[in-house]
Amino acid sequence: MTERMECMCLECGISHYIPISDLTIENVPDFEYPLVTNISCSECGGGLFVVGKEGEQPRYLTG
Ligand SMILES: [Zn+2]
């Protein structure tokens, strides 16, 4: 079973669940979350960042 990551769009804010094996991730110094460099939002074409593993409590809700 492939683990999936929750990736949120920087532009429209919707979440995408993408298998880890499909993701290319880049850590950037000025941003708290890793950015997805190879996949864009299917709704608006915006950039995505990794919130966490699927099913985990998002950090923005738990603080
Ligand atoms: Zn979007």
Side-chain angles (χ1 to χ4, degrees):
M1 179 177 157
T2 304
E3 208 165 17
R4 296 195 300 175
M5 303 297 285
E6 181 178 358
C7 303
M8 186 174 287
C9 178
L10 289 161
E11 301 295 332
C12 68
I14 68 169
S15 290
H16 301 271
Y17 294 94
I18 303 171
I20 287 176
S21 57
D22 289 349
L23 287 175
T24 300
I25 291 170
E26 180 179 8
N27 288 296
V28 289
D30 295 334
F31 194 62
E32 182 181 357
Y33 301 96
L35 297 178
V36 179
T37 59
N38 66 327
I39 297 174
S40 298
C41 177
S42 58
E43 297 296 322
C44 75
L48 304 176
F49 66 94
V50 177
V51 178
K53 289 178 187 172
E54 180 182 29
E56 282 188 348
Q57 284 292 326
R59 274 182 282 174
Y60 60 82
L61 287 179
T62 58

